[in-house]
Amino acid sequence: MKIIYIILLMVFVSDICVGKSHTRPPRILSLSTAATHILIQLGCPPAAIDEYGKIATGKENPPVIGKGSAVSREKMVELNIDTAVLWYYQLALSRELKLKGIQVRTVAKLRLETYPELIKQLGELVGKKAKAEKLCKKFKETLNKVAGAGGKKRRVYFELYAAGKCAGEQSYIGDLVKAAGGKNIIRKTGLVSQETIIGQSPEVIFYIKGF
């Protein structure tokens, strides 16, 4: 009888261990480009993204199922999406998905100083806390190296997904430009005219290819 009890105990413990080690990771729809990039760096690429997220996927190729908040609900069901990472302003979509039982994580307005916190939050979401800590450390080390480079501040214009839509000084991209030694020629993110851009005489122009 003792042998039978021992065998049953071993099977029970084995089942528990298997259950813990094979916990299914969340099936994430990421509508935040920043979150998409971080999830890929954590080794947990999202199950789906929107069109804007393509700039952050690198060699990964998650399905694109919409643009902004206009995402395919049918594709979400087909891909078994159970978690969504949304921007803070996508309130209507957030309410809808919560009513459907989908877990929603909101990305607050992103700035350079809040980026490490987003890494930690996503690391906790996908069960990669240790790797998230390493990414935070690497991010801060790289930022310190760039910030210490010095040199002349060049005037920078950074265009986003459409002609005339620019990243302003008071934004995450604006923070990066400043940290890299540049000076953003536009203060607030939004649409600007060609005349405004030319009048500000940018020395460096960035744009997102493919949009």
mmCIF file of all heavy atoms in Angstrom, residues 162-197:
data_model
loop_
_atom_site.group_PDB
_atom_site.id
_atom_site.type_symbol
_atom_site.label_atom_id
_atom_site.label_comp_id
_atom_site.label_asym_id
_atom_site.label_seq_id
_atom_site.Cartn_x
_atom_site.Cartn_y
_atom_site.Cartn_z
ATOM 1 N N ALA A 162 1.959 60.397 -40.712
ATOM 2 C CA ALA A 162 1.340 61.101 -41.834
ATOM 3 C C ALA A 162 2.080 62.406 -42.091
ATOM 4 O O ALA A 162 2.738 62.943 -41.194
ATOM 5 C CB ALA A 162 -0.136 61.388 -41.531
ATOM 6 N N ALA A 163 1.966 62.907 -43.303
ATOM 7 C CA ALA A 163 2.648 64.144 -43.668
ATOM 8 C C ALA A 163 2.205 65.291 -42.756
ATOM 9 O O ALA A 163 1.011 65.536 -42.588
ATOM 10 C CB ALA A 163 2.342 64.487 -45.126
ATOM 11 N N GLY A 164 3.167 65.952 -42.152
ATOM 12 C CA GLY A 164 2.870 67.088 -41.302
ATOM 13 C C GLY A 164 2.516 66.738 -39.868
ATOM 14 O O GLY A 164 2.368 67.626 -39.031
ATOM 15 N N LYS A 165 2.366 65.449 -39.565
ATOM 16 C CA LYS A 165 2.080 65.070 -38.178
ATOM 17 C C LYS A 165 3.407 64.812 -37.472
ATOM 18 O O LYS A 165 4.126 63.876 -37.796
ATOM 19 C CB LYS A 165 1.207 63.821 -38.107
ATOM 20 C CG LYS A 165 0.803 63.498 -36.670
ATOM 21 C CD LYS A 165 -0.240 62.405 -36.592
ATOM 22 C CE LYS A 165 -0.665 62.193 -35.148
ATOM 23 N NZ LYS A 165 -1.709 61.147 -35.015
ATOM 24 N N CYS A 166 3.713 65.656 -36.514
ATOM 25 C CA CYS A 166 5.050 65.590 -35.919
ATOM 26 C C CYS A 166 5.008 65.256 -34.438
ATOM 27 O O CYS A 166 4.004 65.444 -33.757
ATOM 28 C CB CYS A 166 5.763 66.929 -36.107
ATOM 29 S SG CYS A 166 5.004 68.251 -35.149
ATOM 30 N N ALA A 167 6.123 64.729 -33.956
ATOM 31 C CA ALA A 167 6.312 64.498 -32.526
ATOM 32 C C ALA A 167 6.871 65.776 -31.925
ATOM 33 O O ALA A 167 7.908 66.271 -32.365
ATOM 34 C CB ALA A 167 7.280 63.342 -32.313
ATOM 35 N N GLY A 168 6.177 66.304 -30.942
ATOM 36 C CA GLY A 168 6.601 67.558 -30.339
ATOM 37 C C GLY A 168 7.643 67.380 -29.255
ATOM 38 O O GLY A 168 7.988 66.259 -28.863
ATOM 39 N N GLU A 169 8.115 68.503 -28.765
ATOM 40 C CA GLU A 169 9.140 68.515 -27.718
ATOM 41 C C GLU A 169 8.642 67.840 -26.440
ATOM 42 O O GLU A 169 9.384 67.138 -25.770
ATOM 43 C CB GLU A 169 9.533 69.965 -27.433
ATOM 44 C CG GLU A 169 10.650 70.129 -26.423
ATOM 45 C CD GLU A 169 10.994 71.592 -26.191
ATOM 46 O OE1 GLU A 169 10.079 72.430 -26.293
ATOM 47 O OE2 GLU A 169 12.155 71.893 -25.925
ATOM 48 N N GLN A 170 7.351 68.035 -26.131
ATOM 49 C CA GLN A 170 6.776 67.478 -24.912
ATOM 50 C C GLN A 170 6.147 66.117 -25.182
ATOM 51 O O GLN A 170 4.934 65.921 -25.086
ATOM 52 C CB GLN A 170 5.745 68.450 -24.327
ATOM 53 C CG GLN A 170 6.350 69.782 -23.943
ATOM 54 C CD GLN A 170 5.312 70.748 -23.414
ATOM 55 O OE1 GLN A 170 4.112 70.565 -23.579
ATOM 56 N NE2 GLN A 170 5.781 71.798 -22.761
ATOM 57 N N SER A 171 6.992 65.146 -25.532
ATOM 58 C CA SER A 171 6.542 63.789 -25.832
ATOM 59 C C SER A 171 7.692 62.831 -25.586
ATOM 60 O O SER A 171 8.832 63.251 -25.346
ATOM 61 C CB SER A 171 6.100 63.676 -27.302
ATOM 62 O OG SER A 171 7.220 63.834 -28.168
ATOM 63 N N TYR A 172 7.392 61.531 -25.645
ATOM 64 C CA TYR A 172 8.445 60.529 -25.450
ATOM 65 C C TYR A 172 9.542 60.674 -26.506
ATOM 66 O O TYR A 172 10.731 60.672 -26.192
ATOM 67 C CB TYR A 172 7.842 59.120 -25.505
ATOM 68 C CG TYR A 172 8.872 58.019 -25.455
ATOM 69 C CD1 TYR A 172 9.591 57.768 -24.290
ATOM 70 C CD2 TYR A 172 9.137 57.236 -26.585
ATOM 71 C CE1 TYR A 172 10.542 56.762 -24.239
ATOM 72 C CE2 TYR A 172 10.087 56.235 -26.540
ATOM 73 C CZ TYR A 172 10.786 55.999 -25.368
ATOM 74 O OH TYR A 172 11.740 55.001 -25.332
ATOM 75 N N ILE A 173 9.123 60.827 -27.758
ATOM 76 C CA ILE A 173 10.108 61.007 -28.833
ATOM 77 C C ILE A 173 10.870 62.307 -28.642
ATOM 78 O O ILE A 173 12.086 62.372 -28.858
ATOM 79 C CB ILE A 173 9.425 60.957 -30.215
ATOM 80 C CG1 ILE A 173 8.913 59.538 -30.496
ATOM 81 C CG2 ILE A 173 10.388 61.398 -31.315
ATOM 82 C CD1 ILE A 173 8.144 59.397 -31.786
ATOM 83 N N GLY A 174 10.160 63.345 -28.220
ATOM 84 C CA GLY A 174 10.827 64.614 -27.928
ATOM 85 C C GLY A 174 11.876 64.462 -26.834
ATOM 86 O O GLY A 174 12.961 65.046 -26.903
ATOM 87 N N ASP A 175 11.557 63.649 -25.822
ATOM 88 C CA ASP A 175 12.514 63.371 -24.742
ATOM 89 C C ASP A 175 13.757 62.674 -25.289
ATOM 90 O O ASP A 175 14.892 62.974 -24.891
ATOM 91 C CB ASP A 175 11.875 62.487 -23.671
ATOM 92 C CG ASP A 175 10.791 63.209 -22.882
ATOM 93 O OD1 ASP A 175 10.777 64.452 -22.890
ATOM 94 O OD2 ASP A 175 9.974 62.516 -22.256
ATOM 95 N N LEU A 176 13.529 61.714 -26.208
ATOM 96 C CA LEU A 176 14.660 60.988 -26.800
ATOM 97 C C LEU A 176 15.550 61.923 -27.619
ATOM 98 O O LEU A 176 16.781 61.836 -27.553
ATOM 99 C CB LEU A 176 14.148 59.850 -27.692
ATOM 100 C CG LEU A 176 13.576 58.623 -26.994
ATOM 101 C CD1 LEU A 176 13.015 57.648 -28.025
ATOM 102 C CD2 LEU A 176 14.642 57.930 -26.149
ATOM 103 N N VAL A 177 14.899 62.796 -28.390
ATOM 104 C CA VAL A 177 15.655 63.758 -29.197
ATOM 105 C C VAL A 177 16.525 64.632 -28.298
ATOM 106 O O VAL A 177 17.706 64.852 -28.569
ATOM 107 C CB VAL A 177 14.699 64.629 -30.039
ATOM 108 C CG1 VAL A 177 15.446 65.813 -30.657
ATOM 109 C CG2 VAL A 177 14.039 63.795 -31.135
ATOM 110 N N LYS A 178 15.943 65.113 -27.216
ATOM 111 C CA LYS A 178 16.675 65.958 -26.267
ATOM 112 C C LYS A 178 17.815 65.190 -25.613
ATOM 113 O O LYS A 178 18.932 65.698 -25.485
ATOM 114 C CB LYS A 178 15.714 66.481 -25.199
ATOM 115 C CG LYS A 178 16.359 67.439 -24.214
ATOM 116 C CD LYS A 178 15.334 67.965 -23.224
ATOM 117 C CE LYS A 178 15.972 68.917 -22.221
ATOM 118 N NZ LYS A 178 14.968 69.424 -21.233
ATOM 119 N N ALA A 179 17.537 63.938 -25.193
ATOM 120 C CA ALA A 179 18.562 63.122 -24.535
ATOM 121 C C ALA A 179 19.730 62.837 -25.475
ATOM 122 O O ALA A 179 20.872 62.712 -25.038
ATOM 123 C CB ALA A 179 17.952 61.810 -24.044
ATOM 124 N N ALA A 180 19.411 62.746 -26.786
ATOM 125 C CA ALA A 180 20.451 62.462 -27.777
ATOM 126 C C ALA A 180 21.223 63.710 -28.202
ATOM 127 O O ALA A 180 22.121 63.634 -29.035
ATOM 128 C CB ALA A 180 19.821 61.811 -29.011
ATOM 129 N N GLY A 181 20.849 64.855 -27.633
ATOM 130 C CA GLY A 181 21.580 66.082 -27.944
ATOM 131 C C GLY A 181 20.930 66.937 -29.008
ATOM 132 O O GLY A 181 21.534 67.890 -29.506
ATOM 133 N N GLY A 182 19.680 66.613 -29.360
ATOM 134 C CA GLY A 182 18.987 67.399 -30.369
ATOM 135 C C GLY A 182 18.044 68.417 -29.749
ATOM 136 O O GLY A 182 17.780 68.389 -28.554
ATOM 137 N N LYS A 183 17.525 69.308 -30.597
ATOM 138 C CA LYS A 183 16.537 70.288 -30.163
ATOM 139 C C LYS A 183 15.341 70.193 -31.099
ATOM 140 O O LYS A 183 15.441 70.466 -32.288
ATOM 141 C CB LYS A 183 17.111 71.702 -30.203
ATOM 142 C CG LYS A 183 16.098 72.768 -29.799
ATOM 143 C CD LYS A 183 16.728 74.139 -29.736
ATOM 144 C CE LYS A 183 15.678 75.221 -29.460
ATOM 145 N NZ LYS A 183 14.873 74.939 -28.249
ATOM 146 N N ASN A 184 14.209 69.747 -30.543
ATOM 147 C CA ASN A 184 13.006 69.595 -31.346
ATOM 148 C C ASN A 184 12.486 70.972 -31.765
ATOM 149 O O ASN A 184 12.329 71.864 -30.928
ATOM 150 C CB ASN A 184 11.935 68.854 -30.531
ATOM 151 C CG ASN A 184 10.900 68.195 -31.419
ATOM 152 O OD1 ASN A 184 10.405 68.806 -32.355
ATOM 153 N ND2 ASN A 184 10.574 66.953 -31.122
ATOM 154 N N ILE A 185 12.192 71.128 -33.047
ATOM 155 C CA ILE A 185 11.760 72.445 -33.536
ATOM 156 C C ILE A 185 10.279 72.720 -33.277
ATOM 157 O O ILE A 185 9.820 73.844 -33.405
ATOM 158 C CB ILE A 185 12.038 72.600 -35.045
ATOM 159 C CG1 ILE A 185 11.224 71.576 -35.853
ATOM 160 C CG2 ILE A 185 13.523 72.475 -35.338
ATOM 161 C CD1 ILE A 185 11.243 71.825 -37.340
ATOM 162 N N ILE A 186 9.521 71.666 -32.905
ATOM 163 C CA ILE A 186 8.088 71.808 -32.644
ATOM 164 C C ILE A 186 7.814 71.487 -31.177
ATOM 165 O O ILE A 186 8.275 70.474 -30.665
ATOM 166 C CB ILE A 186 7.252 70.871 -33.541
ATOM 167 C CG1 ILE A 186 7.593 71.097 -35.020
ATOM 168 C CG2 ILE A 186 5.768 71.067 -33.289
ATOM 169 C CD1 ILE A 186 7.261 72.475 -35.541
ATOM 170 N N ARG A 187 7.049 72.345 -30.525
ATOM 171 C CA ARG A 187 6.822 72.166 -29.084
ATOM 172 C C ARG A 187 5.798 71.067 -28.779
ATOM 173 O O ARG A 187 6.037 70.205 -27.949
ATOM 174 C CB ARG A 187 6.365 73.487 -28.464
ATOM 175 C CG ARG A 187 6.180 73.408 -26.947
ATOM 176 C CD ARG A 187 5.975 74.789 -26.355
ATOM 177 N NE ARG A 187 5.674 74.737 -24.933
ATOM 178 C CZ ARG A 187 6.582 74.522 -23.982
ATOM 179 N NH1 ARG A 187 7.836 74.303 -24.310
ATOM 180 N NH2 ARG A 187 6.227 74.496 -22.715
ATOM 181 N N LYS A 188 4.645 71.094 -29.460
ATOM 182 C CA LYS A 188 3.584 70.142 -29.158
ATOM 183 C C LYS A 188 3.334 69.198 -30.323
ATOM 184 O O LYS A 188 3.372 69.599 -31.486
ATOM 185 C CB LYS A 188 2.286 70.886 -28.809
ATOM 186 C CG LYS A 188 2.344 71.644 -27.493
ATOM 187 C CD LYS A 188 0.975 72.251 -27.169
ATOM 188 C CE LYS A 188 1.007 72.986 -25.839
ATOM 189 N NZ LYS A 188 -0.324 73.569 -25.511
ATOM 190 N N THR A 189 3.062 67.949 -30.003
ATOM 191 C CA THR A 189 2.737 66.950 -31.022
ATOM 192 C C THR A 189 1.446 67.335 -31.737
ATOM 193 O O THR A 189 0.468 67.738 -31.111
ATOM 194 C CB THR A 189 2.567 65.567 -30.378
ATOM 195 O OG1 THR A 189 3.790 65.183 -29.754
ATOM 196 C CG2 THR A 189 2.187 64.514 -31.412
ATOM 197 N N GLY A 190 1.460 67.212 -33.063
ATOM 198 C CA GLY A 190 0.257 67.537 -33.834
ATOM 199 C C GLY A 190 0.588 67.818 -35.285
ATOM 200 O O GLY A 190 1.690 67.495 -35.754
ATOM 201 N N LEU A 191 -0.355 68.398 -35.995
ATOM 202 C CA LEU A 191 -0.157 68.709 -37.412
ATOM 203 C C LEU A 191 0.479 70.090 -37.584
ATOM 204 O O LEU A 191 0.095 71.042 -36.903
ATOM 205 C CB LEU A 191 -1.499 68.682 -38.146
ATOM 206 C CG LEU A 191 -2.156 67.300 -38.291
ATOM 207 C CD1 LEU A 191 -3.562 67.444 -38.866
ATOM 208 C CD2 LEU A 191 -1.314 66.398 -39.190
ATOM 209 N N VAL A 192 1.453 70.157 -38.474
ATOM 210 C CA VAL A 192 2.092 71.432 -38.788
ATOM 211 C C VAL A 192 2.191 71.588 -40.301
ATOM 212 O O VAL A 192 2.206 70.606 -41.039
ATOM 213 C CB VAL A 192 3.507 71.542 -38.162
ATOM 214 C CG1 VAL A 192 3.435 71.562 -36.653
ATOM 215 C CG2 VAL A 192 4.393 70.394 -38.637
ATOM 216 N N SER A 193 2.253 72.820 -40.753
ATOM 217 C CA SER A 193 2.334 73.088 -42.192
ATOM 218 C C SER A 193 3.776 72.991 -42.677
ATOM 219 O O SER A 193 4.720 73.074 -41.894
ATOM 220 C CB SER A 193 1.800 74.495 -42.483
ATOM 221 O OG SER A 193 2.652 75.475 -41.896
ATOM 222 N N GLN A 194 3.916 72.823 -43.988
ATOM 223 C CA GLN A 194 5.252 72.799 -44.594
ATOM 224 C C GLN A 194 5.977 74.121 -44.359
ATOM 225 O O GLN A 194 7.190 74.139 -44.153
ATOM 226 C CB GLN A 194 5.147 72.511 -46.087
ATOM 227 C CG GLN A 194 4.703 71.096 -46.422
ATOM 228 C CD GLN A 194 4.738 70.821 -47.913
ATOM 229 O OE1 GLN A 194 5.081 71.691 -48.709
ATOM 230 N NE2 GLN A 194 4.383 69.613 -48.299
ATOM 231 N N GLU A 195 5.204 75.210 -44.383
ATOM 232 C CA GLU A 195 5.797 76.525 -44.171
ATOM 233 C C GLU A 195 6.416 76.626 -42.772
ATOM 234 O O GLU A 195 7.498 77.189 -42.600
ATOM 235 C CB GLU A 195 4.732 77.620 -44.345
ATOM 236 C CG GLU A 195 4.239 77.828 -45.773
ATOM 237 C CD GLU A 195 3.269 76.742 -46.230
ATOM 238 O OE1 GLU A 195 2.759 75.989 -45.371
ATOM 239 O OE2 GLU A 195 3.037 76.658 -47.446
ATOM 240 N N THR A 196 5.713 76.045 -41.792
ATOM 241 C CA THR A 196 6.226 76.062 -40.412
ATOM 242 C C THR A 196 7.523 75.264 -40.309
ATOM 243 O O THR A 196 8.489 75.708 -39.684
ATOM 244 C CB THR A 196 5.186 75.471 -39.441
ATOM 245 O OG1 THR A 196 4.010 76.287 -39.469
ATOM 246 C CG2 THR A 196 5.732 75.429 -38.023
ATOM 247 N N ILE A 197 7.530 74.098 -40.940
ATOM 248 C CA ILE A 197 8.727 73.247 -40.903
ATOM 249 C C ILE A 197 9.910 73.959 -41.546
ATOM 250 O O ILE A 197 10.998 74.024 -40.975
ATOM 251 C CB ILE A 197 8.458 71.904 -41.617
ATOM 252 C CG1 ILE A 197 7.338 71.136 -40.917
ATOM 253 C CG2 ILE A 197 9.737 71.055 -41.646
ATOM 254 C CD1 ILE A 197 6.836 69.927 -41.691
#
